[in-house]
């Protein structure tokens, strides 16, 4: 069943090109127009939406953080993202023109379920992004976009996360199409870029020696930090979560811009720090992240820089460089997270941990 792999998780990491392709399949026509009839919320209702709230837990929450960047940029609809466990306890402002998007791989997470029940009581429309057909959350939602990752057995989410990202991008572009906030040729171009992602991940998975070596080098590190900006920030958080869950190592993800507001005090000699570089070019944040790397290197940290291939500026600042395929900025999480998943899986394997069943964790968390 593990298809020759030692762990389900490793198999699921290698399943990702297919999982992404399957989630895109049949959702657009040859001209690049989106076909999301399954949404079952009428276009007039989607045009009336004046606020989106994404609710989820854990890894799915980080997919939601990425969704916020994409949805606001493409649709100009204000979008919040909130931990499901916090949502209903703060008297959130929700009504008939609010679209609540719940993201859950299992479809059974109690925190998320309670949050959508609360939202529906306030007459909000609830759209679920879910990987499990017929599970409770999609059954209790007004609409659902299924991710087609196939069953995810490893407790730590991998292909679940990637396909959630794809579903969020599809939703954002669909809203842009319905509301006319993007030209159809721009949407078609982004769909085309999404269609290229499976091949890009396939290439990454064929070239992992550097990441495997890192796991060997850092097997005894007591703590590992992850920095990112813009959509690289949720990638940093997810990279840290994978390492905590699987390798039981203290790990933290930060928004790189926050470094100077406190976390820089943690930087010391030999500390491994992963930095997710935004693509170079028009992005002003690229330079700012370069300065962050200089600051942490000056304090003796070991920098592992994930940067787009051909990023000549970042290369000299990296102790170790991991190159990422060239993709549009908003889609970068799809390729940036892959080496971090492999790193966590490999490091946990080296430590002799049960990668598929980490201690204290369950695949679906059905209690609040
Ligand atoms: C992390 C992980 C968890 C889940 C979270 C939500 O690897 O698997 O953080 O993402 O428990 O689960 P779902 O998506 O099933 O609601």
């Amino acid at each position: 069943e593990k298809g020759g792999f030692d762990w389900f998780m490793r198999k699921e990491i290698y399943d990702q090109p297919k999982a992404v392709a399957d989630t895109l399949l049949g959702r657009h026509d040859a001209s690049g127009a989106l076909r999301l009839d399954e949404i079952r919320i009428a276009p007039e209702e989607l045009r009336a939406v004046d606020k989106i709230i994404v609710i989820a837990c854990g890894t799915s929450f980080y997919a939601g953080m990425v969704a916020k960047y994409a949805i606001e940029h493409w649709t100009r609809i204000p979008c919040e993202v909130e931990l499901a466990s916090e949502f209903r306890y703060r008297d959130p402002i929700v009504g008939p023109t609010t679209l609540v998007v719940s993201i859950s791989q299992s479809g059974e997470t109690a925190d998320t379920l309670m949050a959508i029940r609360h939202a529906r009581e306030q007459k909000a429309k609830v759209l679920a992004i879910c990987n499990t057909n017929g599970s409770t959350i999609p059954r209790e939602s007004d609409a659902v976009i299924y991710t087609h990752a196939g069953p995810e057995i490893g407790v730590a989410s991998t292909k679940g996360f990637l396909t959630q990202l794809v579903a969020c991008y599809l939703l954002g572009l669909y809203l842009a199409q319905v509301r006319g906030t993007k030209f159809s040729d721009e949407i078609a171009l982004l769909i085309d870029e999404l269609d290229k992602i499976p091949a890009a991940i396939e290439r990454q998975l064929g070239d992992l020696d550097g990441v495997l070596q890192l796991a060997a080098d850092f097997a005894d590190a007591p703590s590992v930090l992850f920095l990112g900006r813009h959509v690289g920030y949720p990638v940093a958080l997810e990279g840290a979560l994978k390492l905590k869950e699987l390798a039981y190592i203290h790990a933290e993800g930060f928004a790189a811009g926050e470094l100077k507001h406190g976390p820089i005090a943690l930087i010391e000699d030999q500390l491994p720090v992963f930095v997710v570089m935004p693509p170079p070019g028009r992005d002003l944040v690229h330079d700012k992240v370069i300065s962050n790397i200089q600051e942490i290197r000056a304090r003796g940290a070991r920098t592992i820089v994930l940067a787009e291939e051909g990023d000549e500026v970042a290369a000299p600042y990296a102790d170790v460089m991991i190159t990422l395929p060239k993709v549009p900025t908003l889609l970068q999480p799809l390729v940036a997270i892959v080496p971090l998943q492999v790193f966590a899986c490999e490091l946990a394997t080296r430590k002799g941990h049960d990668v598929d069943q980490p201690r204290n964790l369950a695949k679906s968390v059905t209690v609040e």
Side-chain angles (χ1 to χ4, degrees):
E1 272 183 64
K2 290 183 200 151
F5 291 97
D6 50 351
W7 304 113
F8 279 108
M9 181 189 179
R10 209 186 297 271
K11 172 180 180 291
E12 287 160 4
I13 290 173
Y14 280 81
D15 279 348
Q16 290 182 123
K18 182 174 185 312
V20 167
D22 286 350
T23 301
L24 289 165
L25 195 71
R27 280 169 165 159
H28 60 85
D29 62 23
S31 75
L34 283 156
R35 296 269 167 268
L36 285 187
D37 309 332
E38 57 193 297
I39 278 190
R40 283 184 297 129
I41 300 178
E44 308 79 75
E45 279 182 287
L46 291 176
R47 280 191 279 270
V49 166
D50 57 10
K51 172 167 144 182
I52 295 176
I53 307 180
V54 183
I55 44 182
C57 307
T59 291
S60 303
F61 175 76
Y62 300 145
M65 288 178 72
V66 175
K68 175 188 160 82
Y69 286 88
I71 289 174
E72 286 197 339
H73 184 68
W74 292 333
T75 72
R76 311 311 294 154
I77 307 170
C79 178
E80 302 170 8
V81 47
E82 179 147 13
L83 291 167
S85 54
E86 290 295 320
F87 179 72
R88 72 188 175 117
Y89 297 99
R90 65 164 179 100
D91 192 16
I93 302 167
V94 188
T97 52
T98 312
L99 178 67
V100 168
V101 177
S102 67
I103 308 178
S104 175
Q105 187 285 130
S106 64
E108 301 295 346
T109 301
D111 289 310
T112 311
L113 181 59
M114 296 307 167
I116 66 164
R117 283 185 181 156
H118 180 80
R120 292 193 81 198
E121 279 163 19
Q122 318 296 310
K123 307 278 183 277
K125 284 268 176 265
V126 175
L127 185 149
I129 290 176
C130 183
N131 193 45
T132 314
N133 258 310
S135 55
T136 311
I137 290 171
R139 272 195 282 118
E140 293 204 15
S141 299
D142 296 289
V144 51
I145 300 178
Y146 279 111
T147 50
H148 296 150
E152 192 178 61
I153 313 278
V155 163
S157 185
T158 52
K159 62 179 183 174
F161 178 64
L162 256 75
T163 56
Q164 287 167 345
L165 291 173
V166 170
C168 291
Y169 294 132
L170 289 173
L171 173 63
L173 291 173
Y174 183 69
L175 288 169
Q177 177 177 294
V178 167
R179 296 166 66 106
T181 49
K182 269 215 155 301
F183 293 118
S184 54
D185 54 337
E186 292 174 296
I187 295 175
L189 211 69
L190 283 158
I191 293 291
D192 196 47
E193 293 288 350
L194 279 169
D195 279 336
K196 290 188 211 154
I197 296 287
I201 299 174
E202 201 75 67
R203 276 187 279 123
Q204 284 184 288
L205 292 171
D207 181 21
L208 287 172
D209 292 352
V211 182
L212 300 181
Q213 184 58 46
L214 274 181
D217 294 348
F218 294 128
D220 297 319
S223 172
V224 180
L225 301 186
F226 295 79
L227 300 179
R229 257 190 109 120
H230 190 258
V231 290
Y233 170 39
V235 172
L237 293 170
E238 171 63 2
L241 181 62
K242 289 283 95 85
L243 207 57
K244 290 177 213 181
E245 287 181 296
L246 299 167
Y248 318 147
I249 292 178
H250 170 253
E252 280 195 71
F254 297 110
E258 276 293 291
L259 197 63
K260 58 187 173 301
H261 299 291
I264 198 163
L266 292 170
I267 307 293
E268 54 187 21
D269 204 36
Q270 299 304 312
L271 177 78
V273 183
F274 284 77
V275 184
V276 184
M277 281 304 298
R282 289 190 312 137
D283 271 304
L284 291 171
V285 288
H286 185 273
D287 288 356
K288 303 213 160 108
V289 181
I290 294 282
S291 327
N292 291 140
I293 302 177
Q294 287 172 299
E295 286 153 15
I296 56 185
R297 265 190 124 197
R299 290 164 177 81
R302 307 274 308 276
T303 54
I304 305 103
V305 177
L306 287 79
E308 189 175 280
E309 52 202 353
D311 186 340
E312 306 290 343
V313 181
Y317 297 102
D319 290 311
V320 180
M321 179 88 168
I322 298 176
T323 51
L324 302 175
K326 208 171 159 60
V327 301
T329 303
L330 282 166
L331 306 189
Q332 199 197 41
L334 290 166
V335 293
I337 194 59
V338 175
L340 302 183
Q341 296 169 335
V342 173
F343 175 71
C345 179
E346 187 59 24
L347 204 116
T349 304
R350 285 192 161 263
K351 296 190 128 191
H353 299 329
D354 185 336
V355 168
D356 286 336
Q357 304 253 313
R359 69 184 181 201
N360 310 339
L361 294 176
K363 185 68 184 161
S364 24
V365 184
T366 52
V367 287
E368 255 193 289

